[in-house]
C-alpha cells in the first residue's frame, strides 16, 4: 500500500496533477494503519513513510505530511530529519508553537545543524519572540555563516528589537551574499529611514525598484524619503507610481492626498 501511495504522489509531483485531498487522505490513513511494529520491519517502514511524508509536504498536503512524520517518529524516535521536517510542515500551517517544539527536538538530536536553528528562529519570529529568534539566527550563522536568508531574518529580528544600526549591518550582509535580494534592500531602507538617514534609504528603495519595478511599498517609501529630503514634486510623482502598481495601497493614497493638499495641487 505504501508503494501504491508513493507512486500516486510521484505522478502528482511530476505531472502537476490536480490533488484529490480526500483520496490522498484515505490512502495515508490506510498506510499508517498497516504499520507493523515488529523490530525487523520498523526501519524499512520508517524509510518508506518518511519518503511519503516528503512527497506530501512538497504537494503542500501538510496535515497528511505531519501525520506521516508522526508515525515515522513512533518507529524511529531519534530521526532528526523527521522532527525537523515535521516542524517545517507545522510552520506552513502557522502552528508555530508546535513547530518550535519539533525544531527543539531536532536540535536536541543534532545541536550543530544550522538549518534546524534557522527554522527555529523563523517560527519564533512569527510569534514575535524576537530576542529568542535573534539568538537562534546567531547560532545558525555561527554554524553556517554564508546563508543570506539567515542574515536577512536576523535583520528583521533586530529591527523589531529597535536595534536599527545592527539591522542595517545584517541586511547588508544578506545583500553581500545575495545582491538581488529585493526584500533585504527594502528592509535596509526601512531601518535607515527610521534612523532618519533618508538619502541612504532612498538609495535602498531605488535598488528595490530596479530589481522589482512593481514593488508598490518601495515606491511609497521612496516618496516618503523624497518628502523628507524636501523633494516634494518627485515625492508626489512617486506616490502616484505606488498607486499605479497597487491601486488599493491606502498608505500611498493617504500620502499622496496629504502632499497634494500641502502643495495646493
Amino acid at each position: 500500500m505504501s508503494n501504491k501511495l508513493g507512486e500516486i504522489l510521484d505522478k502528482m509531483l511530476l505531472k502537476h496533477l490536480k490533488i484529490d485531498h480526500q483520496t490522498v487522505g484515505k490512502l495515508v490513513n490506510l498506510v499508517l494503519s498497516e504499520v507493523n511494529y515488529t523490530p525487523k520491519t520498523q526501519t524499512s517502514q520508517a524509510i518508506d513513510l518518511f519518503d511519503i511524508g516528503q512527497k506530501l509536504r512538497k504537494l503542500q498536503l501538510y496535515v497528511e505530511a505531519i501525520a506521516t512524520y508522526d508515525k515515522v517518529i513512533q518507529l524511529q524516535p531519534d530521526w532528526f530529519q523527521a522532527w525537523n521536517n515535521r516542524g517545517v510542515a507545522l510552520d506552513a500551517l502557522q502552528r508555530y508553537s508546535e513547530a518550535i517544539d519539533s525544531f527543539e527536538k531536532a536540535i536536541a538530536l543534532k545541536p550543530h545543524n544550522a538549518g534546524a536553528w534557522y527554522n527555529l528562529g523563523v517560527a519564533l519570529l512569527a510569534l514575535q519572540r524576537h530576542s529568542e529568534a535573534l539568538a537562534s539566527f546567531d547560532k545558525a550563522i555561527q554554524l553556517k555563516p554564508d546563508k543570506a536568508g539567515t542574515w536577512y531574518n536576523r535583520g528583521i529580528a533586530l529591527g523589531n528589537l529597535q536595534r536599527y544600526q545592527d539591522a542595517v549591518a545584517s541586511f547588508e550582509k544578506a545583500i553581500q551574499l545575495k545582491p538581488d535580494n529585493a526584500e533585504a534592500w527594502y528592509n535596509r531602507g526601512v531601518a535607515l529611514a527610521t534612523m532618519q538617514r533618508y538619502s541612504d534609504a532612498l538609495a535602498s528603495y531605488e535598488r528595490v525598484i530596479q530589481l522589482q519595478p512593481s514593488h508598490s511599498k518601495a515606491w511609497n517609501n521612496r516618496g516618503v524619503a523624497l518628502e523628507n529630503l524636501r523633494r516634494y514634486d518627485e515625492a508626489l510623482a512617486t506616490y502616484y507610481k505606488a498607486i499605479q502598481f497597487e491601486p488599493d495601497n491606502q498608505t500611498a493614497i493617504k500620502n499622496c492626498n496629504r502632499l497634494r493638499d500641502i502643495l495646493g495641487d
Side-chain angles (χ1 to χ4, degrees), residues 78-85 99-124 132 135-137 139-140 143:
D78 294 336
W79 194 329
F80 161 82
Q81 204 64 47
W83 282 108
N84 183 70
N85 291 9
I100 287 166
D101 290 341
S102 212
F103 293 135
E104 287 178 342
K105 286 280 192 181
I107 288 166
L109 292 167
K110 284 194 176 182
H112 301 297
N113 185 279
W117 282 105
Y118 170 80
N119 290 336
L120 175 61
V122 170
L124 289 164
E132 294 168 86
S136 285
F137 294 134
K139 183 65 176 177
L143 294 165

Side-chain angles (χ1 to χ4, degrees), residues 2-19:
S2 63
N3 289 338
K4 180 181 177 182
L5 176 56
E7 289 172 8
I8 291 170
L9 298 176
D10 279 335
K11 287 179 182 178
M12 287 181 175
L13 285 165
L14 290 171
K15 298 184 179 180
H16 306 288
L17 298 177
K18 184 178 178 181
I19 297 169

Side-chain angles (χ1 to χ4, degrees), residues 2 5-6 9 13 28 31-32 45-70 72 81-82 85-86 89:
S2 63
L5 176 56
L9 298 176
L13 285 165
V28 169
V31 168
L32 298 184
Q45 285 185 120
I47 292 168
D48 290 344
L49 288 171
F50 180 78
D51 182 58
I52 288 169
Q54 296 291 84
K55 292 170 184 175
L56 289 164
R57 185 168 61 85
K58 288 177 183 176
L59 288 165
Q60 299 182 14
L61 295 167
Y62 298 118
V63 172
E64 293 84 355
I66 291 162
T68 307
Y69 291 134
D70 283 343
V72 173
Q81 204 64 47
N85 291 9
R86 178 180 183 270

Side-chain angles (χ1 to χ4, degrees), residues 39-223:
K40 186 177 179 179
T41 61
Q42 281 189 18
T43 299
S44 61
Q45 285 185 120
I47 292 168
D48 290 344
L49 288 171
F50 180 78
D51 182 58
I52 288 169
Q54 296 291 84
K55 292 170 184 175
L56 289 164
R57 185 168 61 85
K58 288 177 183 176
L59 288 165
Q60 299 182 14
L61 295 167
Y62 298 118
V63 172
E64 293 84 355
I66 291 162
T68 307
Y69 291 134
D70 283 343
K71 191 64 73 171
V72 173
I73 289 164
Q74 286 181 27
L75 293 165
Q76 298 287 330
D78 294 336
W79 194 329
F80 161 82
Q81 204 64 47
W83 282 108
N84 183 70
N85 291 9
R86 178 180 183 270
V88 172
L90 286 162
D91 188 273
L93 293 173
Q94 299 182 2
R95 291 163 58 180
Y96 299 118
S97 294
E98 294 171 84
I100 287 166
D101 290 341
S102 212
F103 293 135
E104 287 178 342
K105 286 280 192 181
I107 288 166
L109 292 167
K110 284 194 176 182
H112 301 297
N113 185 279
W117 282 105
Y118 170 80
N119 290 336
L120 175 61
V122 170
L124 289 164
L125 198 60
L127 292 179
Q128 299 183 29
R129 292 164 59 178
H130 303 305
S131 294
E132 294 168 86
L134 177 61
S136 285
F137 294 134
D138 282 341
K139 183 65 176 177
I141 287 166
Q142 179 186 338
L143 294 165
K144 187 175 175 58
D146 60 350
K147 185 175 178 181
T150 311
W151 285 102
Y152 169 76
N153 281 293
R154 180 178 184 269
I156 297 294
L158 286 162
N160 287 322
L161 292 168
Q162 300 183 357
R163 291 172 54 184
Y164 300 115
Q165 188 61 55
D166 292 333
V168 169
S170 207
F171 292 133
E172 287 176 346
K173 186 67 178 179
I175 290 163
Q176 179 186 333
L177 292 166
K178 190 178 179 184
D180 62 349
N181 186 335
E183 289 307 307
W185 281 106
Y186 174 77
N187 282 287
R188 176 182 182 269
V190 171
L192 288 164
T194 304
M195 294 188 291
Q196 301 184 358
R197 291 171 54 185
Y198 299 115
S199 293
D200 293 331
L202 178 61
S204 253
Y205 297 135
E206 288 178 344
R207 181 61 179 143
V208 177
I209 290 163
Q210 286 177 358
L211 293 166
Q212 292 185 9
S214 62
H215 198 302
S216 179
K217 289 181 180 179
W219 280 106
N220 175 74
N221 286 15
R222 181 180 186 270

